[in-house]
Amino acid sequence: MSRRTFIAALVLAVATIPGFCQEETDIKGSQDHPLFTRMPGYYISDYGVKDFDQFTSPYAAGADQTWEGKVTTLEYYIKTGAKQASMLQIARNYENAVKKIGGKLLANDTRVIEGKIEKGGAVTYIHVEAFNEGRNYNVTIVEKGAMKQDVVGDAAALGASIAATGKATVYGIYFDTDKAVVKPESAPALDQITALLKQNDGLSLFVVGHTDNAGTLEHNLKLSADRANAVVQALTARGIASSRLKASGVGPWCPVASNSTEEGKGKNRRVELVDQH
């Protein structure tokens, strides 16, 4: 290897070391997660937030092994001249922080901890892993939740489903938890149902509300009926005659997936359009 080639390779290798030849400050747009601060003397060298993703724990088992929801990932790196923590010190700090806010440990060793925090009906998981004798460590936080359905079937697809099976499932109609007020982001789905009805003058529909199995049967039956009525009102406000629509709620009685997972519950919370004829 020539001297020039050696120097070029050395420069490239050094430039790839986190924190070298770059300002040792938090990456632009990053921030600590609201639940946890960081170890003193460390900065955020990598950061990402996904509204919905999956993390599979290499340590936990059963229902706590796969986490789905909003995922925040952070990498922390020690600043030059700062006092470096050991891997055990990093792990123990986060372990104690999880316990302090009422969480429970799922796994822990000398450089890794995983925890689960349940508060006010919300479930949050955390995975912390230290590397390189404590020079850097990663934090993954998953705020458990079902995916927001962004892809909405168009009028043609809804009509084809009704023609083939007598019904069509609609995702993309949103309500706040335990509420029956249609949220504004439901407009694309409602517009497609309106288009379907305007294109097919002879079509009349049962608008059927469905829930998951959380809560009592009586509550879910009422909630699903109230939500179906809210959808009917939204459609009549768009110019559809009320005589062509009839609302009904069946609560958790007709699931299309298991209620044992958040993904299954999300599929069960839906509206169905059923041909009245």
Side-chain angles (χ1 to χ4, degrees):
M1 179 184 294
S2 68
R3 185 171 182 272
R4 179 177 296 180
T5 303
F6 173 77
I7 292 173
L10 179 62
V11 170
L12 179 62
V14 170
T16 61
I17 300 174
F20 199 94
C21 296
Q22 68 180 47
E23 189 176 356
E24 293 180 327
T25 57
D26 291 352
I27 191 170
K28 186 177 180 180
S30 66
Q31 61 181 351
D32 293 321
H33 191 276
L35 281 178
F36 301 98
T37 58
R38 70 185 77 179
M39 296 294 294
Y42 288 73
Y43 67 96
I44 301 174
S45 59
D46 198 10
Y47 177 78
V49 178
K50 294 182 179 179
D51 289 337
F52 186 84
D53 207 348
Q54 183 183 90
F55 179 87
T56 301
S57 165
Y59 302 96
D64 288 322
Q65 184 172 28
T66 300
W67 314 338
E68 290 187 350
K70 181 180 179 181
V71 179
T72 302
T73 55
L74 302 111
E75 180 179 30
Y76 293 99
Y77 208 91
I78 190 68
K79 293 180 180 179
T80 301
K83 186 177 181 181
Q84 182 175 308
S86 69
M87 294 192 293
L88 179 61
Q89 186 178 358
I90 293 168
R92 290 290 184 270
N93 265 271
Y94 279 90
E95 176 182 325
N96 292 334
V98 168
K99 292 177 179 177
K100 189 173 182 178
I101 59 177
K104 68 176 184 179
L105 288 181
L106 300 177
N108 66 320
D109 66 14
T110 57
R111 70 179 192 90
V112 175
I113 75 102
E114 289 185 345
K116 180 179 181 181
I117 303 104
E118 297 181 85
K119 280 191 174 183
V123 178
T124 302
Y125 292 96
I126 179 172
H127 171 95
V128 180
E129 191 163 355
F131 303 93
N132 300 314
E133 303 303 323
R135 285 193 297 275
N136 62 301
Y137 68 95
N138 295 342
V139 177
T140 302
I141 297 172
V142 181
E143 298 167 62
K144 189 175 179 182
M147 182 185 72
K148 176 187 173 183
Q149 182 70 27
D150 293 309
V151 178
V152 177
D154 62 14
L158 295 174
S161 180
I162 290 172
T165 67
K167 65 178 182 179
T169 299
V170 181
Y171 294 102
I173 297 179
Y174 303 106
F175 303 88
D176 286 326
T177 302
D178 262 357
K179 303 294 183 183
V181 177
V182 178
K183 300 183 74 170
E185 52 263 44
S186 307
L190 293 170
D191 289 344
Q192 293 302 316
I193 299 171
T194 302
L196 168 69
L197 287 161
K198 288 184 176 180
Q199 292 166 11
N200 298 273
D201 292 338
L203 181 63
S204 295
L205 297 172
F206 294 108
V207 178
V208 185
H210 296 259
T211 68
D212 59 30
N213 66 347
T216 66
L217 174 61
E218 292 77 12
H219 175 77
N220 283 324
L221 288 171
K222 182 178 185 305
L223 179 64
S224 61
D226 289 345
R227 287 179 171 178
N229 273 307
V231 173
V232 167
Q233 291 171 18
L235 293 172
T236 56
R238 283 169 162 75
I240 303 301
S242 59
S243 59
R244 300 177 63 191
L245 302 167
K246 185 173 182 180
S248 181
V250 296
W253 279 341
C254 303
V256 292
S258 170
N259 280 302
S260 62
T261 67
E262 288 301 316
E263 181 182 6
K265 288 181 178 180
K267 290 180 179 179
N268 291 333
R269 295 189 295 266
R270 68 198 190 279
V271 171
E272 287 186 344
L273 308 176
V274 179
D275 192 347
Q276 289 189 22
H277 301 112

